[in-house]
Amino acid sequence: MQITYFGHSCFQLEIAGKKVLFDPFILPNQLAEDIDISTIKPDYIFISHGHQDHVSDVEDIYRQSEAKIVSTFEVVSWFEEQGLDNIHPMNHGGEWKFDFGTVKMVNAVHSSAMPDGSYGGNPSGFVFTIEGKSFYYAGDTALHYDMKLIAEEFDIDFAFMPIGSNFTMGVKDAVKAADFVNTSKVIGMHYDTFPFIEIDHDEAKSLFQKADKELILMKIGENINI
């Protein structure tokens, strides 16, 4: 599985011959100024919630790719009103078998509003299962006990987790979250983009190492294989 990082919480995964993009926030992100958005043509765009720093590039990427937008009913309905009609609505606890694998929408503790201030539904995370392996994309969230339910149902190979604190959980809570979902490998997200969420990279990695876990902090534009 190849993973490409486009900054903030935006990753593209190549899964079973399909490209899946999460929470596109690229053009407004000064740290991602070297990313050419015109080259990003996914098959799916998964959106965890409606905040601007997770949806700003959805329309542009949709227009050039016709990617299917997957999110909560409220989020996809808002995009449908903007003329983006290749959508798949979900809600918490629901599961769907896509052509690349199965996805379950899970709880996140955060807030959600669309760029125009309209209601964005409840924030969410996703658990993907592909050919017997599972990973967790937490979205923007605080640490919460529902994460333990994920470990009861899935064997999580790795997880994408926010670590910037202030708006989401920070590094210490992300270590606990990794325990809750029972994974030893975390890819950090939602950090450094704004002054409020800048982190000490060495300290963050050290906290994970002390807990016998690995924190991966990808460079923007970097590809890795897991």
Side-chain angles (χ1 to χ4, degrees), residues 39-196:
T39 65
I40 302 173
K41 297 180 180 180
D43 299 290
Y44 294 88
I45 302 172
F46 278 77
I47 303 170
S48 63
H49 63 295
H51 287 161
Q52 180 71 19
D53 61 324
H54 294 259
V55 304
S56 64
D57 298 313
V58 169
E59 184 168 354
D60 285 344
I61 293 173
Y62 177 92
R63 300 292 183 195
Q64 66 197 26
S65 66
E66 290 294 320
K68 186 178 292 292
I69 298 172
V70 185
S71 189
T72 58
F73 177 83
E74 292 82 3
V75 170
V76 299
S77 295
W78 187 86
F79 279 109
E80 190 175 29
E81 291 174 358
Q82 318 308 310
L84 285 60
D85 57 5
N86 187 15
I87 60 172
H88 184 104
M90 296 186 72
N91 220 320
H92 298 75
E95 191 172 78
W96 188 261
K97 187 173 183 179
F98 294 91
D99 56 3
F100 58 81
T102 301
V103 179
K104 184 170 187 175
M105 180 174 279
V106 295
N107 189 33
V109 177
H110 194 59
S111 57
S112 181
M114 304 311 298
D116 62 1
S118 60
Y119 179 55
N122 292 316
S124 65
F126 303 98
V127 178
F128 281 60
T129 301
I130 303 100
E131 298 176 349
K133 293 187 176 182
S134 297
F135 71 85
Y136 171 43
Y137 181 88
D140 278 12
T141 188
L143 177 69
H144 58 87
Y145 255 68
D146 283 359
M147 291 176 177
K148 292 191 173 186
L149 297 174
I150 294 172
E152 291 181 7
E153 184 175 356
F154 302 97
D155 293 324
I156 300 297
D157 293 280
F158 65 95
F160 298 91
M161 291 187 178
I163 57 174
S165 197
N166 195 70
F167 299 113
T168 67
M169 63 184 179
V171 175
K172 291 180 181 179
D173 280 354
V175 172
K176 293 181 182 178
D179 281 334
F180 283 7
V181 303
N182 194 26
T183 188
S184 61
K185 188 185 298 290
V186 170
I187 299 174
M189 64 182 184
H190 209 278
Y191 65 94
D192 284 357
T193 315
F194 317 113
F196 282 129

Side-chain angles (χ1 to χ4, degrees), residues 201-213:
H201 290 207
D202 291 337
E203 181 181 2
K205 289 181 178 180
S206 177
L207 286 171
F208 270 80
Q209 287 173 353
K210 288 177 181 177
D212 293 322
K213 301 182 187 303

